[in-house]
Amino acid sequence: MKVISLTSSSPFAQMISAMLQELWGAEFAFHHLTPDSDPDALDGAALVVVDWAEGAEACSRWISSAKSHAPEAAVVLFTARDTDRRIQPDLFARVNGVIARPSALREYCALFGESFVRDGSVSGDEHADYVSAFVKAARKTFAVMCKMDLGQKSVSALDGETLPGEYSAVMRFGGRSKGWMAVSMSGDLAAAVARGMVGCTVESDDDIRDALGELINVIAGQAKAALVDTPFYFSISAPEVVTGDVSGPECFPEGTGMSVAFDVDGREIFLQAHLASNLSPE
Amino acid sequence: MPARAVTGGWNGWQVRRLVERIGDGTTISGRTGMKILVVDDSSTMRRIIINILKANGHDDFIEAADGLEGMKQLQAHPDIDMVFTDWNMPNMNGLDFLTKIRQTADATSLPVVMVTTEAEKANVVAAIKAGANNYIVKPFTPEIVKSKLEQLLNRA
């Protein structure tokens, strides 16, 4: 059986291959096609998986190519969020199926996230790959500024939930991409972070807020530098630190938001980020 | 500490004084007596920088929360020997602050170190072009600050 993934993202193609391998064993031939590939390579395919994150126009073109070159093939769209279906109902109506689960990104990172994050590679316009830039920046910043090692616990898709910590530093992005990031943690951990940064006891809530604001500023600055040659490059704004149960900045339909939980000596720090490229050209 | 020229800034006298100090064999990290202006809108970052500089033997600091306040402090304290400044700040950012410093006759050669999250090469080049004497990217270790400080003083 010939299986094709249509995406410009190599990690995405690897994920599809691995997922199918797990489901079906080794009895299929897997091909990764990119936007530059010859459409004739679709000939004879039994299953074509189209990466929704490539955008509606590319998806539409690829679905047409797949229907034309492999009329017997099952064409499916892969998306991390079922809500994407509401954005382009016509597009979704043209395919035979949709792989749409909030857990998709968790699986993605479980399969490839660690190596992906370890080498810190962020290249090309691979969707959602910006997360590795943020994770790497967060780990370095906490290690250098707070003497804290962040152990990665879990990664999940973000869907507009409440910021998970008592203290949350939030920064919004603009420029070549739009979005935001947040770092959340408990009050105890926030105080420990501030202490770690200044090397002595912090005396007030203002000190904690200032420390967290600077922390997210440094994380964002590094992520920004790592993404300079990608469509996710952004300009940063002034950080904002909020406390209590508050909603994060609004998630938007484009792109994919991610929430990464880190372990710090049995306590949790959450890094949330949602970026979408090329939405507000400079 | 000898009286400073009233014009302030990083003048030939100061340079000679520093070179003499280095020539004396005094360890750079152990030298004291420099008045250092630390400009950052984050009080946390100012404390971090000052703590590191204190650990390297410096103990005379002036703080400012943005470039505008930094300019006022430079005018009020003409004996400032060195400036550490952030880039992204309200009211007057670090690059504009640096440009202002270099436009001020008394401070054209005052050593200025940019301490910033702006890590892209283009920004480093912009800062150097604007007259920064050295550049430190956040997050930094105390060793990095010490090393940059030594580079700066050896250059002088």
Side-chain angles (χ1 to χ4, degrees):
Chain A
M1 187 168 72
K2 183 176 180 180
V3 176
I4 288 173
S5 75
L6 277 166
T7 176
S8 59
S9 165
S10 296
F12 174 84
Q14 288 172 15
M15 180 199 67
I16 295 296
S17 174
M19 283 176 67
L20 294 178
Q21 195 88 31
E22 192 179 350
L23 286 170
W24 298 342
E27 296 171 10
F28 65 92
F30 185 80
H31 302 263
H32 171 203
L33 303 188
T34 69
D36 299 328
S37 299
D38 184 348
D40 287 346
L42 288 158
D43 291 348
L47 172 64
V48 179
V49 182
V50 180
D51 181 3
W52 161 250
E54 296 291 338
E57 190 182 333
C59 286
S60 178
R61 191 171 62 250
W62 285 350
I63 291 166
S64 297
S65 293
K67 297 281 185 187
S68 163
H69 285 265
E72 301 299 318
V75 182
V76 300
L77 272 172
F78 185 98
T79 173
R81 291 149 43 107
D82 197 45
T83 49
D84 291 337
R85 190 191 300 269
R86 293 200 297 268
I87 304 160
Q88 294 281 346
D90 294 344
L91 194 67
F92 280 75
R94 289 171 56 201
V95 296
N96 302 96
V98 177
I99 304 173
R101 291 168 295 162
S103 61
L105 275 170
R106 193 192 302 271
E107 291 172 11
Y108 172 45
C109 291
L111 286 166
F112 297 103
E114 279 302 317
S115 61
F116 185 62
V117 168
R118 259 201 304 274
D119 65 25
S121 60
V122 178
S123 60
D125 58 354
E126 293 170 352
H127 73 283
D129 288 1
Y130 65 80
V131 71
S132 68
F134 284 98
V135 169
K136 194 179 175 198
R139 280 182 163 156
K140 182 178 177 184
T141 301
F142 274 91
V144 174
M145 295 185 76
C146 314
K147 311 292 183 290
M148 288 179 174
D149 289 327
L150 299 188
Q152 192 168 321
K153 282 184 73 175
S154 65
V155 181
S156 57
L158 189 65
D159 206 3
E161 59 245 43
T162 302
L163 292 169
E166 191 181 339
Y167 279 79
S168 299
V170 180
M171 182 174 279
R172 294 168 196 273
F173 306 131
R176 198 185 304 165
S177 64
K178 76 167 185 180
W180 55 273
M181 71 170 291
V183 175
S184 290
M185 63 196 79
S186 67
D188 286 350
L189 196 48
V193 164
R195 275 198 306 275
M197 288 175 74
V198 297
C200 57
T201 306
V202 288
E203 292 169 0
S204 70
D205 185 63
D206 284 347
D207 289 341
I208 295 174
R209 287 169 175 270
D210 188 88
L212 295 186
E214 185 60 18
L215 194 76
I216 198 170
N217 188 39
V218 175
I219 294 170
Q222 289 174 90
K224 179 189 171 202
L227 295 168
V228 66
D229 293 324
T230 78
F232 293 114
Y233 183 67
F234 53 80
S235 55
I236 61 179
S237 63
E240 177 190 5
V241 177
V242 294
T243 53
D245 291 332
V246 292
S247 296
E250 190 181 357
C251 284
F252 34 86
E254 306 89 346
T256 305
M258 305 189 80
S259 180
V260 183
F262 295 101
D263 176 82
V264 182
D265 298 330
R267 294 177 288 185
E268 283 186 317
I269 287 176
F270 298 90
L271 168 68
Q272 300 181 328
H274 193 171
L275 269 183
S277 62
N278 298 322
L279 292 173
S280 50
E282 290 174 320
Chain B
M1 186 174 159
R4 287 286 315 274
V6 289
T7 50
W10 190 257
N11 55 31
W13 175 82
Q14 278 182 291
V15 172
R16 281 196 300 279
R17 190 180 64 163
L18 275 173
V19 172
E20 282 164 10
R21 284 178 180 175
I22 295 165
D24 285 345
T26 311
T27 58
I28 291 167
S29 60
R31 280 193 286 105
T32 58
M34 286 174 60
K35 181 169 279 187
I36 301 175
L37 172 62
V38 180
V39 187
D40 198 306
D41 56 330
S42 163
S43 59
T44 302
M45 187 49 67
R46 294 199 302 270
R47 286 174 72 179
I48 291 171
I49 294 169
I50 287 172
N51 285 345
I52 293 173
L53 294 173
K54 275 183 180 171
N56 282 278
H58 302 286
D59 57 4
D60 193 359
F61 301 99
I62 296 171
E63 299 182 46
D66 57 47
L68 214 54
E69 196 184 328
M71 283 308 297
K72 286 178 185 167
Q73 293 292 6
L74 275 175
Q75 286 158 5
H77 302 274
D79 55 341
I80 287 171
D81 294 307
M82 186 177 286
V83 177
F84 282 75
T85 182
D86 184 24
W87 183 310
N88 293 311
M89 296 180 290
N91 303 321
M92 182 189 287
N93 68 36
L95 202 61
D96 291 342
F97 176 46
L98 175 58
T99 305
K100 285 271 185 198
I101 289 174
R102 293 299 177 237
Q103 288 170 349
T104 304
D106 291 346
T108 50
S109 55
L110 177 68
V112 178
V113 181
M114 293 289 285
V115 186
T116 173
T117 59
E118 296 288 346
E120 295 120 86
K121 282 179 187 169
N123 292 327
V124 179
V125 171
I128 299 298
K129 276 185 177 173
N133 298 82
N134 223 320
Y135 199 94
I136 297 173
V137 176
K138 301 174 190 174
F140 51 80
T141 61
E143 290 73 27
I144 288 175
V145 176
K146 183 182 175 187
S147 161
K148 299 280 185 177
L149 193 62
E150 288 177 355
Q151 284 174 18
L152 196 56
L153 296 177
N154 286 332
R155 208 177 292 161

